[in-house]
Amino acid sequence: MPEGPEIRRAADNVERALINRTVEDVYFAFPHLEDYEDLLKGAIVIRVDTKGKAMLIRFDNGYTIYSHNQLYGKWYIRNLYHYPKTNRQLRLALHNEKKSALLYSASDIEVLRDGEVPSHPFISKVGPDLLSEEVSVNELVERMKDKRFRKRKWSILLLDQGFIAGIGNYLRSEIMFVARTHPSLRPVDCTEDQLLKAAHAVMSLVQQSYETGGITNDPDLAQKLSDQGVKRSHYRHWVFNREGASCFICGSEIEKTVAASRRLYYCPVCQRIE
């Protein structure tokens, strides 16, 4: 499943194609949404927001298209009516005079009045989106101390979209590694300095992954390894998907475990319990 940085990058592409342009044609694959096609024709896209793994396309007529890619959804931006060759099913199409924004395979699509967006079942429960909202390090630390979150293991908490929106499996492992946090620890077990380190790790890695297209390793090291001919899958991350490989920091063997029914990777030395 794409994580927050991937959805924000997709939103940027959709926004570049549609922003400040009149929608001249609309297609919804689902019968219950067909009545909205005429409603949105002639409207102007004013911005594209994200809330974690959800995308919100805002129109000047007071309506918003909500979509969630789930496991298989994928956006394509094409010149007008130039559809990609794919076996995927087209679910949503927005066309202006130059571009088509096409969503394939996703099944979670809704049209909402702007005032209904905050109370949407997903939007109302999800935590802050670090790529679309102003959130400070101190605010994140206070969130970690909140009674809803402080006694939950980091390995579980970081996947909870109600804690922070958009963090998924690869970011979970990478954040804990950069914060030097063992997967068995909880926020309540950490010192103030450790919480600050965790908050900085969350903010920096989400932003870096967004800017680099998913690279969470040290950018200079990643570039050096790339120049040496190392495969991207071997230098993209610090620990994720690197079971048995050497830690880039200490040389120890990266280990794999399972938490929240999903694979998790860590360095037993860099992330040891002190």
Side-chain angles (χ1 to χ4, degrees), residues 72-78 82-92 102-106:
Y72 304 111
K74 185 174 181 179
W75 281 95
Y76 292 84
I77 305 300
R78 291 289 186 270
H82 281 68
Y83 296 93
K85 294 180 180 180
T86 176
N87 292 325
R88 294 172 176 268
Q89 297 295 311
L90 180 63
R91 304 300 194 188
L92 164 63
L102 312 166
L103 178 57
Y104 286 81
S105 302

Side-chain angles (χ1 to χ4, degrees), residues 49-60:
D49 295 327
T50 56
K51 191 67 171 174
K53 301 173 185 180
M55 188 182 298
L56 300 164
I57 302 175
R58 312 275 193 174
F59 298 84
D60 69 342

Side-chain angles (χ1 to χ4, degrees), residues 67 139 152 191:
S67 64
E139 286 172 335
R152 300 176 62 191
T191 65

Side-chain angles (χ1 to χ4, degrees), residues 246-270:
S246 297
C247 174
F248 289 121
I249 300 297
C250 72
S252 300
E253 187 174 297
I254 301 301
E255 296 185 4
K256 174 185 174 182
T257 186
V258 174
S261 302
R262 302 182 71 183
R263 57 200 172 109
L264 183 150
Y265 301 84
Y266 69 102
C267 173
V269 174
C270 291

Side-chain angles (χ1 to χ4, degrees), residues 8-271:
R8 185 61 254 177
R9 288 171 70 90
D12 290 348
N13 291 334
V14 172
E15 188 169 75
R16 278 191 291 268
L18 302 180
I19 190 73
N20 296 328
R21 296 183 183 275
T22 300
V23 176
E24 298 188 351
D25 195 9
V26 182
Y27 166 77
F28 288 106
F30 304 113
H32 70 281
L33 296 176
E34 289 177 353
D35 289 344
Y36 291 106
E37 293 175 355
D38 288 336
L39 180 69
L40 296 176
K41 288 178 185 177
I44 296 173
V45 175
I46 56 175
R47 69 179 187 276
V48 180
D49 295 327
T50 56
K51 191 67 171 174
K53 301 173 185 180
M55 188 182 298
L56 300 164
I57 302 175
R58 312 275 193 174
F59 298 84
D60 69 342
N61 64 354
Y63 283 86
T64 295
I65 294 179
Y66 164 96
S67 64
H68 195 298
N69 280 25
Q70 300 170 301
L71 281 174
Y72 304 111
K74 185 174 181 179
W75 281 95
Y76 292 84
I77 305 300
R78 291 289 186 270
N79 289 332
L80 184 60
Y81 295 121
H82 281 68
Y83 296 93
K85 294 180 180 180
T86 176
N87 292 325
R88 294 172 176 268
Q89 297 295 311
L90 180 63
R91 304 300 194 188
L92 164 63
L94 297 169
H95 310 279
N96 57 39
E97 76 276 16
K98 292 185 177 181
K99 296 290 184 179
S100 294
L102 312 166
L103 178 57
Y104 286 81
S105 302
S107 59
D108 191 2
I109 303 171
E110 298 180 48
V111 179
L112 307 167
R113 293 183 181 274
D114 289 347
E116 297 172 333
V117 173
S119 60
H120 181 275
F122 177 82
I123 301 297
S124 64
K125 295 179 181 178
V126 75
D129 184 314
L130 304 183
L131 295 173
S132 293
E133 302 170 43
E134 292 292 331
V135 183
S136 71
V137 167
N138 288 336
E139 286 172 335
L140 272 187
V141 170
E142 290 306 308
R143 196 164 183 81
M144 294 168 182
K145 295 177 181 178
D146 189 285
K147 63 182 181 180
R148 294 172 294 169
F149 308 123
R150 65 190 181 191
K151 292 186 178 181
R152 300 176 62 191
K153 290 183 180 180
W154 285 109
S155 58
I156 308 297
L157 179 59
L158 286 169
L159 290 184
D160 182 354
Q161 298 303 291
F163 175 53
I164 300 172
I167 294 177
N169 211 33
Y170 80 80
L171 279 173
R172 170 180 67 161
S173 290
E174 296 294 282
I175 287 167
M176 284 190 287
F177 175 79
V178 170
R180 301 296 187 264
T181 300
H182 191 274
S184 67
L185 293 177
R186 307 166 297 170
V188 73
D189 303 320
C190 297
T191 65
E192 190 74 15
D193 285 345
Q194 289 173 319
L195 293 178
L196 279 170
K197 185 178 288 187
H200 279 290
V202 170
M203 297 190 74
S204 64
L205 285 179
V206 168
Q207 184 66 34
Q208 179 182 320
S209 183
Y210 162 67
E211 292 175 354
T212 62
I215 295 175
T216 50
N217 197 350
D218 176 79
D220 291 335
L221 175 58
Q223 185 60 57
K224 179 181 178 180
L225 294 172
S226 177
D227 293 343
Q228 293 173 356
V230 176
K231 292 182 179 180
R232 186 176 187 272
S233 59
H234 294 167
Y235 68 71
R236 178 184 173 188
H237 301 305
W238 286 109
V239 293
F240 184 78
N241 208 28
R242 297 190 64 242
E243 179 186 12
S246 297
C247 174
F248 289 121
I249 300 297
C250 72
S252 300
E253 187 174 297
I254 301 301
E255 296 185 4
K256 174 185 174 182
T257 186
V258 174
S261 302
R262 302 182 71 183
R263 57 200 172 109
L264 183 150
Y265 301 84
Y266 69 102
C267 173
V269 174
C270 291
Q271 295 172 253

